[in-house]
């Protein structure tokens, strides 16, 4: 049975989304994108040249193959984030946006109050909004209520590679809202991605975990497999955890 990820009006077969920053070269980025199996790639609107008349990183991304997800990285207030999203829509001809409104330069944690303000405006303007938020179940519910197409709680601080620090909050978010939950930020290795998917998350977005690896292409492949394995394990239904052993071979019916 098909197991696709639906976000707004869009549908994807891959549940791994990857970023395009921090790679040593554009050639390595291209190979890593391919190895990841991702269909959605993010681009930081404030950090790339959107002028198609001059050379840009966008020249190296096959938009026939990948869906661009522009993000508002680097914005520290709602006004800047809204303007950046509007610029992306005009330049890239998409209403798909990963909404980031940061609250602190050191931790890069989101400013949830400003995030909610910006999301409310962009949803009303017809954007398909995927907000980067803290792992706060209440905020996740508020973002869903105003019409966000998904919520993207952090696993840990951006670029930290710490993995999911609070799986219990993520589990509450999954139990509370109906739109897709996509883990964003803090994934460092394949096991982190698998854990996120085994919890029941609908997808994982990462950049540094792949681009910052010693071998980004190999790590992209590892993340691809981890997301797929974690999703399959979640759907298969793991056995309950028990304190004591249970024999693999039942004793009932054995002849003494």
């Amino acid at each position: 049975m098909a197991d696709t990820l639906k976000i707004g009006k869009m549908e994807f077969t891959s549940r791994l989304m990857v970023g395009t920053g921090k790679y040593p070269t554009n050639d390595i980025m291209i190979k890593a994108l391919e190895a990841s199996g991702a269909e959605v790639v993010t681009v930081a609107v404030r950090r790339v040249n959107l002028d198609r008349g001059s050379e840009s990183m966008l020249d190296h991304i096959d938009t026939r193959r990948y869906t661009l997800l522009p993000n508002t990285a680097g914005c520290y207030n709602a006004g800047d984030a809204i303007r950046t999203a509007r610029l992306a829509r005009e330049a890239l001809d998409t209403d798909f946006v990963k909404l980031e409104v940061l609250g602190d330069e050191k931790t890069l944690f989101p400013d949830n109050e400003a995030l909610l303000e910006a999301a409310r405006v962009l949803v009303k303007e017809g954007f398909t909004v995927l907000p980067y938020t803290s792992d706060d179940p209440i905020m996740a519910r508020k973002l869903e209520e105003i019409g966000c197409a998904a919520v993207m709680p952090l696993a840990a601080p951006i670029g930290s590679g710490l993995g999911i620090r609070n799986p219990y909050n993520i589990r509450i978010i999954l139990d509370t809202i109906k739109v897709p939950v996509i883990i964003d930020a803090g994934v460092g290795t394949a096991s982190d991605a698998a854990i996120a998917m085994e919890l029941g998350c609908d997808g994982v977005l990462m950049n540094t975990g792949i681009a910052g690896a010693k071998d980004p292409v190999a790590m992209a492949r590892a993340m691809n497999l981890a997301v797929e394995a974690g999703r399959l394990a979640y759907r298969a239904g793991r056995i309950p955890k028990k304190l004591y052993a249970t024999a693999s071979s039942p004793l009932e019916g054995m002849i003494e």
Side-chain angles (χ1 to χ4, degrees):
M1 182 172 58
D3 179 35
T4 57
L5 173 60
K6 297 179 181 179
I7 302 175
K9 298 178 181 179
M10 308 189 77
E11 190 169 349
F12 307 99
T13 56
S14 173
R15 292 175 178 270
L16 175 60
M17 303 178 181
V18 295
T20 52
K22 301 183 180 180
Y23 286 95
T25 67
N26 284 327
D27 184 57
I28 291 176
M29 177 193 71
I30 293 167
K31 292 178 180 177
L33 293 182
E34 183 175 355
S36 74
E39 295 170 274
V40 176
V41 298
T42 66
V43 291
V45 178
R46 293 165 65 95
R47 296 171 185 160
V48 300
N49 184 1
L50 297 178
D51 181 5
R52 294 304 182 96
S54 57
E55 185 177 358
S56 167
M57 181 191 68
L58 294 174
D59 297 330
H60 301 276
I61 301 174
D62 185 355
T63 54
R64 296 167 300 179
R65 179 174 183 177
Y66 302 109
T67 296
L68 293 181
L69 175 59
N71 68 61
T72 61
C75 294
Y76 285 85
N77 60 71
D80 281 351
I82 292 168
R83 283 189 291 272
T84 302
R86 290 169 177 166
L87 173 63
R89 179 161 63 180
E90 291 301 317
L92 301 176
D93 192 28
T94 180
D95 61 14
F96 214 30
V97 64
K98 177 192 168 189
L99 180 62
E100 295 184 28
V101 186
L102 302 178
D104 178 75
E105 292 185 5
K106 184 176 182 179
T107 65
L108 300 181
F109 284 141
D111 180 337
N112 284 335
E113 184 178 356
L115 175 70
L116 195 62
E117 177 186 348
R120 186 175 286 110
V121 171
L122 294 175
V123 167
K124 288 182 179 179
E125 293 184 3
F127 283 87
T128 301
V129 179
L130 287 71
Y132 161 68
T133 180
S134 63
D135 59 355
D136 178 358
I138 305 304
M139 180 55 60
R141 188 181 67 202
K142 289 181 178 180
L143 290 165
E144 178 189 40
E145 288 174 347
I146 66 171
C148 290
V151 295
M152 306 182 79
L154 55 81
I158 292 174
S160 68
L162 290 172
I164 296 180
R165 296 294 84 201
N166 196 340
Y168 306 104
N169 272 23
I170 299 299
R171 182 67 258 179
I172 293 171
I173 291 172
L174 289 165
D175 289 342
T176 302
I177 68 173
K178 295 180 180 179
V179 295
V181 175
I182 301 169
I183 287 294
D184 180 18
V187 172
T189 192
S191 58
D192 298 333
I195 288 170
M197 299 306 295
E198 288 175 3
L199 282 172
C201 293
D202 297 281
V204 180
L205 188 151
M206 65 185 74
N207 186 181
T208 308
I210 294 177
K214 291 182 179 180
D215 185 339
V217 178
M219 184 60 79
R221 174 63 174 155
M223 294 296 190
N224 183 359
L225 295 171
V227 168
E228 184 177 347
R231 178 64 179 178
L232 188 59
Y234 169 73
R235 297 189 79 199
R238 65 157 293 143
I239 63 171
K241 294 181 179 180
K242 297 180 181 179
L243 184 60
Y244 297 102
T246 301
S248 297
S249 300
L251 300 177
E252 293 83 355
M254 292 185 65
I255 300 175
E256 298 185 4

